[in-house]
Amino acid sequence: EAGVAQSPRYKIIEKRQSVAFWCNPISGHATLYWYQQILGQGPKLLIQFQNNGVVDDSQLPKDRFSAERLKGVDSTLKIQPAKLEDSAVYLCASSLVGWETQYFGPGTRLLVL
Amino acid sequence: SQQGEEDPQALSIQEGENATMNCSYKTSINNLQWYRQNSGRGLVHLILIRSNEREKHSGRLRVTLDTSKKSSSLLITASRAADTASYFCATDGGDYNQGGKLIFGQGTELSVKP
């Protein structure tokens, strides 16, 4: 079974630029999550999708972050404009349904200069 | 906000020794999960323990859950150098209306020396 795919793996941008991350979850997984992990901390949930609907985006900075999940499969997370404090690893995860085991992708490491 | 707090923050042991990591949380839960993260990589799921379970085993891993104390522990027996990683506990907050989102602690950084 293929795992969660993410791209790119690394991205370096300057502040005020925009950036987008892509995630392809495990086939058949209805729930998709985006997490932000700052160095030395645990992952923090940014947004959770159930199929193509948003379940929770309470911690998503909506003035600069946006996310969508087209046709309930792939998802993109966008930051526009980026700030220095957005430097982090962005992790995508999926699960069959909520409350169950989440499977994580390798993450995208973002550095904002 | 952080739900789980791991203790210790860092642990260094010799190969063959046992490693114990603890996690405390604040609200009721439906389940608690432990994940491992090797440096520069994504998280790998280790064990899920439900609120009505007290102990669970998986290979060299043993997880206990005490809901009265709102705490859990992860024991790795006969540790290997390959166990070197960060270990996180994650809870779901206990509210099905939250859709099962996980709240992670800060993690315990385990170093196993050969």
Side-chain angles (χ1 to χ4, degrees), chain A residues 41-110:
Chain A
Q41 298 183 15
K44 181 184 82 171
L45 180 72
L46 292 175
I47 189 167
Q48 177 184 344
F49 292 95
Q50 179 73 20
N51 296 310
N52 61 351
V54 175
V55 174
D56 188 323
D57 63 357
S58 57
Q59 297 195 88
L60 186 73
K62 297 180 186 63
D63 57 335
R64 297 184 302 106
F65 286 63
S66 65
E68 60 181 3
R69 189 180 184 195
L70 299 174
K71 301 179 182 178
V73 182
D74 292 8
S75 178
T76 56
L77 176 69
K78 297 179 182 177
I79 308 175
Q80 182 179 9
K83 292 185 176 182
L84 297 177
E85 59 260 35
D86 298 332
S87 294
V89 176
Y90 291 84
L91 296 162
C92 179
S94 70
S95 63
L96 271 174
V97 292
W99 315 291
E100 295 297 330
T101 299
Q102 295 183 21
Y103 297 88
F104 283 78
T108 295
R109 190 175 297 272
L110 173 68

Side-chain angles (χ1 to χ4, degrees), chain A residues 27-41:
Chain A
S27 178
H29 280 195
T31 312
L32 184 147
Y33 314 80
W34 282 103
Y35 291 88
Q36 180 193 58
Q37 186 178 22
I38 293 172
L39 188 64
Q41 298 183 15

